[in-house]
Amino acid sequence: MPRMTMIEAIRSAMDVTMGRDETVVVFGEDVGYFGGVFRCTQGLQQKYGKTRCFDTPISELGIVGAAIGMAAYGLKPCIEVQFADYVYPAYDQIVSEAARIRYRSNGQFTCPIVIRMPTGGGIFGGQTHSQSPEALFTHVSGLKVVVPSNPFDAKGLLISAIEDPDPVIFLEPKRLYNGPFDGHHDRPVTPWSKHQLGDVPEGHFSVPLGKAEIRREGTAVTILAYGTMVYVAEAAAEEAGVDAEVIDLRSLLPLDLDTIVASVKKTGRCVVVHEATLTSGFGAELAALVQEHCFYHLEAPIARVTGWDTPYPHAQEWDYFPGPRRVGEALLEVMEA
Amino acid sequence: MSEEHKLSLHVPEPEVRPGDTPNFSNVVIPKAGSVERPPVDVDPKDIRELAYSIIRVLNRQGEAVGPWAGTLSDEELREGLRHMMTLRAFDARMQMAQRQGKTSFYMQHMGEEAVSCAFRRALEPGDMNFPTYRQAGLLIAGGYPMVEMMNQIYSNEADPLKGRQLPIMYSSKEHGFFSISGNLGTQFIQAVGWAMASAIRNDTRLAAGWIGDGSTAESDFHAALVFASTYRAPVVLNIVNNQWAISTFQGIARGGSGTFAARGLGFGIPALRVDGNDYLAVHAVAKWAAERARRNLGPTLIEYVTYRVGAHSTSDDPSAYRPKTESDAWPLGDPVIRLKNHLIVKGTWSEERHKQAEAEILDTVISAQKEAETHGTLHAGGKPSTRDMFEGVYATMPPHLRRQRQKAGV
């Protein structure tokens, strides 16, 4: 099985689906000839032609709005917003249109689109190249929200997303594009070629939406994480010496509540970790669900380790990013309670 | 700093306000038949003046004149008149139904009937409209059952949209009528995307986008023009300039540009401006634009110059912001009366036949209404089920929604 980076895996997912289904089209800013600013669509235009993979004007609302129209026609657009930080001009199209078309038309029109966007920090991206806006989408009924953490999942989940009949927000942690990252910014980064999760089948396969994956089994505390935070959580558990169970949620909406509840009932403790800001972040939903479903099994208050409630800073990158030290402290605190 | 260089903000105002005498002296109306009809493969820069003029076919005497005349037979015109009269009667009954508490909301088309009714005739089966909430003529002229429209307005047990949508937010894929959204402008760029899809698939079908004068100020309008121009999408982009966006006169959205049509020129899109109350002119222009799109020559922008005679909606009182008699002074008249007069002049219609048609149409509308009401109205009779509220959010209901449905006891 070939080793792929997350970039190659994402590209492979589009390649495989475009090859199998000629209604799949790919477009966005710099996506066509150039192959994307992160190389995720490299070679697709050469292989499938300009009408299947093309460059667009710089208009996020235009990209998403046009994709919605194409989906109403019967195509399956897999489109790119260059950075999740730039999705806001398209927010009306996503929330008021893509998410609701099936519902409001009673299924006469549907919106099988995928909106790919690089997300997350840890790259000195500053305010507009680091945000994690997932909670703005999980709050919207009618959308699905996916965040892969490794090449295998990235390909399998993206194929599922493209084949899904509903609109999917596909957030790609750009910090993980070339290799896993556990928050130790002072250490050299290992590429995906040295990591088992870089093993990705060439052809068609899928990872189902709505299914979490336990990345590290443990008995003491459950860590709910996704994206880059999966590796931070794993590192924090090892370094703090806490036998934590790390769950990679993969899909935030729909959410694999069963896996979460089974784990917390086993461990009796729960720490939620995400890069996004704390207040009204997705962690609040996770904490509420755990409280609701595991109340009598909880032995400590649910802790949340997240980005601070500030815009994402530049110079203070590592004071902002919830790294293994902060997560480790929360684990110890929860264990003491 | 000297006194004369102090800046001041310009805020446009309509010519008149309540209590003033209506005044349309600034609306320049060219003579019917005076505007050229260019070939459909014209270079947009050669027809710049068409974005500043008004294409008209019917003259004061009710005759069809000039190069845009003759796209419809007498029989088609009589049918067109019937469509407009039906829409008007439908509006009147539904307006009344709202006042009687049978529904929560309604929006009339009074004065704008020609635009959607005549445009619909220029389309082929399989073409797709992306309408606003004021193009129900596309459904009436397209043969969509009136009872279904009423069922939707009443949110009753037979509502094709299961009570999920505000009244008049119709949807019919089969009739080339995309699901209406409350969010203004959004559908304009979607129409372009649909047209791009048709081109990507080497299809023969075209899309039509619709927007009002006020909503052209939304970003979606700009995005639609950029995308339509860049990809030469087979789309007809329709701006219905009825002079008013709720209480805001069109000068606020238009700003310093002479016309809304003129906005197309900067995008390299051929732009036409047409008398929106002239059924024949609307059809001729729509046909021209549709042919352009179908011959893969790209998009067309059309501004329909008309007047919103009725209130914005059943929740609006126009006497608070414009003279009560302003619609009577509108220089382009009434689309129904103008087509009626034309047919009488041609000897293919008469006052008697018109009266008879009015009575027949009213009967049809009333009997449709009676039928719809057997399925219930908003607060009485049959309703969509509570279960329907949970369906259709996704293709397959996810677990969290199943739990909520269970909690709701359905």
Side-chain angles (χ1 to χ4, degrees):
Chain A
M1 199 180 297
R3 284 262 156 113
M4 294 187 193
T5 65
M6 198 191 269
I7 291 166
E8 289 161 344
I10 286 163
R11 186 194 305 151
S12 175
M14 284 184 271
D15 189 359
V16 165
T17 47
M18 289 174 91
R20 284 164 63 99
D21 180 353
E22 56 182 17
T23 66
V24 176
V25 291
V26 168
F27 56 94
E29 296 156 19
D30 304 297
V31 159
Y33 182 83
F34 180 59
V37 294
F38 291 105
R39 320 311 300 149
C40 287
T41 54
Q42 191 172 28
L44 295 179
Q45 183 176 85
Q46 286 80 347
K47 187 165 175 183
Y48 296 101
K50 281 201 297 185
T51 62
R52 297 281 307 282
C53 176
F54 53 90
D55 294 314
T56 63
I58 302 176
S59 168
E60 289 76 15
L61 117 71
I63 294 166
V64 175
I68 292 169
M70 289 183 193
Y73 174 93
L75 299 189
K76 287 181 184 162
C78 177
I79 58 176
E80 180 179 301
V81 170
Q82 206 159 72
F83 288 88
D85 315 62
Y86 300 133
V87 72
Y88 310 118
Y91 199 59
D92 187 32
Q93 287 285 345
I94 296 171
V95 176
S96 312
E97 301 292 318
R100 297 190 194 156
I101 281 169
R102 176 188 295 278
Y103 189 73
R104 75 176 198 228
S105 73
N106 192 25
Q108 288 176 7
F109 298 95
T110 60
C111 193
I113 68 174
V114 179
I115 308 176
R116 294 179 40 241
M117 356 174 176
T119 188
I123 56 150
F124 282 96
Q127 294 189 22
T128 56
H129 298 79
S130 308
Q131 295 168 31
S132 299
E134 60 271 15
L136 297 177
F137 300 108
T138 54
H139 190 56
V140 179
S141 40
L143 297 179
K144 294 183 178 178
V145 181
V146 176
V147 191
S149 69
N150 60 72
F152 180 90
D153 281 357
K155 179 170 174 182
L157 287 166
L158 184 52
I159 289 175
S160 286
I162 294 170
E163 292 173 352
D164 194 273
D166 291 309
V168 181
I169 305 295
F170 196 85
L171 294 157
E172 302 166 1
K174 56 191 166 296
R175 177 70 240 206
L176 301 180
Y177 268 159
N178 292 303
F181 178 67
D182 62 8
H184 285 294
H185 52 92
D186 45 353
R187 298 180 193 164
V189 177
T190 335
W192 282 115
S193 59
K194 301 237 165 62
H195 199 286
Q196 208 185 328
L197 286 167
D199 284 343
V200 182
E202 292 266 26
H204 181 275
F205 74 97
S206 60
V207 171
L209 307 186
K211 286 270 176 263
E213 176 87 354
I214 297 174
R215 294 287 170 205
R216 182 191 190 281
E217 292 205 16
T219 55
V221 51
T222 300
I223 306 181
L224 302 180
Y226 49 91
T228 309
M229 286 302 128
V230 170
Y231 304 97
V232 173
E234 284 175 338
E238 297 301 330
E239 289 158 25
V242 176
D243 186 24
E245 181 146 289
V246 178
I247 299 180
D248 178 357
L249 298 175
R250 302 198 291 197
S251 282
L252 308 190
L253 187 67
L255 182 70
D256 187 353
L257 188 62
D258 293 346
T259 298
I260 295 170
V261 169
S263 177
V264 177
K265 281 187 175 171
K266 179 178 75 175
T267 62
R269 291 176 165 85
C270 181
V271 174
V272 177
V273 190
H274 60 58
E275 289 183 63
T277 49
L278 177 71
T279 303
S280 303
F282 190 62
E285 180 63 27
L286 291 171
L289 283 169
V290 169
Q291 184 273 142
E292 208 176 304
H293 293 269
C294 310
F295 186 75
Y296 295 106
H297 293 79
L298 283 173
E299 292 170 42
I302 300 159
R304 285 183 285 165
V305 186
T306 70
W308 308 114
D309 282 339
T310 69
Y312 205 110
H314 185 243
Q316 302 90 334
E317 175 83 85
W318 305 117
D319 300 319
Y320 181 91
F321 185 89
R325 184 185 56 78
R326 273 176 60 202
V327 176
E329 283 167 8
L331 290 175
L332 294 173
E333 212 169 294
V334 165
M335 290 313 297
E336 277 167 22
Chain B
M1 190 165 61
S2 67
E3 194 65 27
E4 61 269 25
H5 285 111
K6 272 192 182 170
L7 300 171
S8 65
L9 184 72
H10 171 65
V11 181
E13 270 293 318
E15 297 279 323
V16 292
R17 284 297 191 184
D20 297 338
T21 307
N23 176 15
F24 288 111
S25 59
N26 58 341
V27 182
V28 180
I29 313 280
K31 277 179 74 168
S34 65
V35 177
E36 61 163 319
R37 185 183 190 282
V40 291
D41 59 354
V42 68
D43 187 333
K45 69 179 189 301
D46 295 337
I47 55 163
R48 291 182 61 87
E49 69 277 14
L50 266 65
Y52 296 95
S53 190
I54 300 180
I55 294 165
R56 306 178 65 229
V57 170
L58 293 174
N59 67 15
R60 280 177 186 282
Q61 289 72 46
E63 296 153 343
V65 295
W68 293 89
T71 56
L72 289 163
S73 69
D74 287 355
E75 197 188 326
E76 287 168 328
L77 287 172
R78 284 195 303 269
E79 196 183 43
L81 181 61
R82 183 173 284 271
H83 291 153
M84 291 198 288
M85 291 166 74
T86 304
L87 178 55
R88 190 165 287 188
F90 180 87
D91 270 351
R93 296 297 299 184
M94 292 297 101
Q95 175 88 4
M96 204 192 305
Q98 191 276 338
R99 297 298 188 227
Q100 293 165 338
K102 291 175 180 173
T103 182
S104 62
F105 182 75
Y106 191 71
M107 297 177 104
Q108 293 192 83
H109 302 76
M110 181 75 86
E112 299 176 37
E113 292 90 343
V115 178
S116 52
C117 287
F119 186 88
R120 181 62 184 79
R121 294 206 80 103
L123 298 182
E124 300 285 338
D127 294 341
M128 185 62 70
N129 283 286
F130 287 75
T132 77
Y133 46 66
R134 226 187 291 277
Q135 274 88 47
L138 295 170
L139 288 173
I140 301 257
Y144 185 73
M146 216 185 301
V147 178
E148 293 288 286
M149 295 170 76
M150 290 168 170
N151 288 337
Q152 197 281 324
I153 289 166
Y154 287 145
S155 287
N156 62 22
E157 66 188 8
D159 175 0
L161 307 182
K162 305 281 185 191
R164 295 174 190 153
Q165 272 274 50
L166 197 68
I168 72 156
M169 304 282 181
Y170 316 105
S171 175
S172 176
K173 188 173 193 172
E174 201 189 333
H175 288 79
F177 192 94
F178 185 71
S179 158
I180 296 178
S181 168
N183 294 70
L184 298 179
T186 50
Q187 75 290 340
F188 217 51
I189 173 69
Q190 292 164 6
V192 177
W194 196 99
M196 288 169 69
S198 183
I200 287 169
R201 301 296 289 158
N202 306 124
D203 200 344
T204 58
R205 298 181 284 163
L206 61 86
W210 294 87
I211 204 163
D213 46 286
S215 303
T216 60
E218 294 281 6
S219 312
D220 311 58
F221 174 77
H222 184 268
L225 265 62
V226 176
F227 275 63
S229 171
T230 297
Y231 302 107
R232 291 188 201 161
V235 63
V236 184
L237 295 166
N238 298 304
I239 305 169
V240 183
N241 176 7
N242 68 14
Q243 314 300 317
W244 292 96
I246 307 187
S247 73
T248 308
F249 94 112
Q250 47 95 11
I252 293 282
R254 179 174 47 78
S257 73
T259 68
F260 290 98
R263 299 221 192 281
L265 299 177
F267 293 87
I269 298 175
L272 309 178
R273 204 158 175 260
V274 59
D275 179 346
N277 292 13
D278 180 338
Y279 187 94
L280 285 78
V282 170
H283 180 265
V285 164
K287 205 177 161 197
W288 188 89
E291 194 189 332
R292 252 183 71 75
R294 243 183 271 284
R295 283 179 52 186
N296 209 31
L297 296 164
T300 305
L301 185 72
I302 306 173
E303 175 185 346
Y304 302 88
V305 183
T306 182
Y307 184 87
R308 194 197 78 211
V309 175
H312 166 70
S313 72
T314 48
S315 310
D316 174 49
D317 173 16
S319 70
Y321 50 82
R322 68 184 192 189
K324 276 186 175 161
T325 55
E326 193 177 72
S327 64
D328 300 334
W330 176 242
L332 295 175
D334 178 297
V336 174
I337 294 171
R338 283 174 66 194
L339 181 54
K340 171 192 156 192
N341 289 345
H342 170 63
L343 291 172
I344 290 173
V345 165
K346 283 189 102 178
T348 180
W349 198 243
S350 66
E351 289 290 354
E352 294 70 41
R353 285 181 71 180
H354 194 79
K355 278 204 181 70
Q356 195 188 341
E358 255 174 352
E360 283 167 13
I361 287 166
L362 186 61
D363 274 354
T364 313
V365 175
I366 288 173
S367 74
Q369 190 178 7
K370 280 183 180 154
E371 189 187 333
E373 290 181 9
T374 64
H375 300 293
T377 58
L378 181 61
H379 300 297
K383 292 181 188 325
S385 78
T386 310
R387 248 183 113 80
D388 284 331
M389 180 170 74
F390 292 96
E391 302 283 344
V393 182
Y394 299 91
T396 313
M397 191 176 292
H400 71 281
L401 266 181
R402 278 206 304 275
R403 285 195 298 274
Q404 289 172 30
R405 190 179 64 183
Q406 212 165 10
K407 211 165 219 174
V410 291

